Amino acid sequence: TISVASKGFAEQFILGEMYALLLEDAGYDVDRKGALGGTPVLHESLINDELDIYPEYTGTGLLTVLAMDVMSDPAEVYETVSDAYAEQFNLAWLDPAPMNNTQALAMTADRASELGIATFSDLSAQAGDLVMAGPPEFVEREDGLPGLQATYGGFELADYLAVDFGLRYPTLMSGDADVVVAFGTDGEIFANGLTVLEDDMGLYPPYQVAPVVRQAVLDANPDIADVLNAVAPLLDDGTMQELNNRVTGEAEEPVDIAKQFLVDNGLLGE
């Protein structure tokens, strides 16, 4: 029996179900542990042999678990966390997906086009005329406005609207804000056709997702790597945004979304 868990948000629910369905199709009994908690809980569960697999992000491994400095090259981040997890925790990272659920800034396509803004640098140059909406802590966090100001200079906004997490996108779409604090694979980006701005000076590390597996489990069942690696190349930003929107915007069940995606891509039978 292989135990699979996730964190407590739509993307993780979908990924956890994909892993579970693929393992079941390969002949394993799967213990779905659901949303056990955040990174510290899941990581401790792995190293205490209470859990076998969960989806994790390379940037989270780098900054939250390993407390290392920011790196911007995806391959370097993956290699760093993979090597460190193996050495320190006897945990294995399988193949990362191309998707990047990093912290981001987004605008409506019309507003970005009107102002000629495509990058964080472009935004910084016009920040004095713009209103940003995001969570209250963004104005104080090291990777929030202080980080943007330190890396890019400028970013002295006309106003910052501190709103509840779920009100970020309604505030943008109502026209009360010009730019919103986002994450790269948010379903609302797909639903509203938003433009995600390029972090052209690399403030944020990449957050590619991959299964993290106890090495002892992988040693005993080496085919798990091939089973789960099969889905990784299919999960780019646009695909994950669309899948997430089906949960957050259309109230579909993650297990149904995961199963249909795997069937449509030939990884599961009907």
Side-chain angles (χ1 to χ4, degrees):
T1 299
I2 306 298
S3 58
V4 178
S6 68
K7 305 181 191 185
F9 55 92
E11 181 166 284
Q12 286 271 314
F13 298 151
I14 295 168
L15 293 166
E17 285 295 344
M18 285 184 184
Y19 297 171
L21 289 165
L22 288 169
L23 289 167
E24 286 175 336
D25 190 61
Y28 291 97
D29 291 326
V30 175
D31 177 15
R32 288 171 169 80
K33 291 187 173 291
L36 287 184
T39 297
V41 172
L42 289 163
H43 181 70
E44 286 298 316
S45 295
L46 277 184
I47 62 179
N48 291 331
D49 300 344
E50 299 165 351
L51 173 67
D52 297 324
I53 298 170
Y54 82 95
E56 186 55 280
Y57 302 94
T58 54
T60 303
L62 183 75
L63 300 183
T64 303
V65 177
L66 298 171
M68 292 183 172
D69 293 336
V70 171
M71 305 174 187
S72 58
D73 179 74
E76 182 183 12
V77 173
Y78 176 77
E79 182 178 354
T80 298
V81 297
S82 181
D83 290 348
Y85 268 57
E87 180 180 346
Q88 297 183 32
F89 311 121
N90 201 29
L91 300 176
W93 284 75
L94 301 186
D95 289 354
M99 57 162 278
N100 181 15
N101 194 17
T102 189
Q103 191 152 277
L105 300 174
M107 303 177 69
T108 64
D110 287 347
R111 188 68 168 143
S113 176
E114 173 192 346
L115 298 176
I117 295 176
T119 68
F120 283 19
S121 292
D122 295 337
L123 181 63
S124 179
Q126 300 188 48
D129 297 321
L130 302 175
V131 176
M132 182 184 293
E137 64 271 16
F138 194 76
V139 297
E140 299 176 349
R141 284 174 45 155
E142 185 177 326
D143 61 350
L145 273 179
L148 290 168
Q149 291 163 350
T151 301
Y152 287 91
F155 267 99
E156 299 295 338
L157 298 161
D159 197 8
Y160 182 87
L161 302 181
V163 298
D164 289 342
F165 197 75
L167 296 178
R168 294 170 300 143
Y169 289 103
T171 302
L172 178 72
M173 299 311 298
S174 70
D176 290 334
D178 301 290
V179 60
V180 68
V181 177
F183 291 93
T185 56
D186 283 347
E188 293 87 348
I189 294 171
F190 170 81
N192 296 300
L194 302 182
T195 295
V196 178
L197 305 182
E198 178 190 353
D199 178 13
D200 50 309
M201 295 184 68
L203 171 61
Y204 299 122
Y207 282 76
Q208 293 179 281
V209 76
V212 177
V213 188
R214 291 198 297 117
Q215 186 62 53
V217 172
L218 202 55
D219 289 343
N221 308 278
D223 64 316
I224 285 176
D226 289 335
V227 169
L228 297 185
N229 285 341
V231 74
L234 305 176
L235 301 174
D236 58 23
D237 283 353
T239 297
M240 206 68 239
Q241 290 167 8
E242 183 175 359
L243 296 177
N244 286 337
N245 182 61
R246 290 172 61 184
V247 177
T248 60
E250 301 174 14
E252 294 184 44
E253 291 296 324
V255 64
D256 297 333
I257 296 166
K259 183 174 182 179
Q260 190 60 55
F261 180 81
L262 295 175
V263 169
D264 289 348
N265 285 277
L267 297 182
L268 279 185
E270 291 283 355

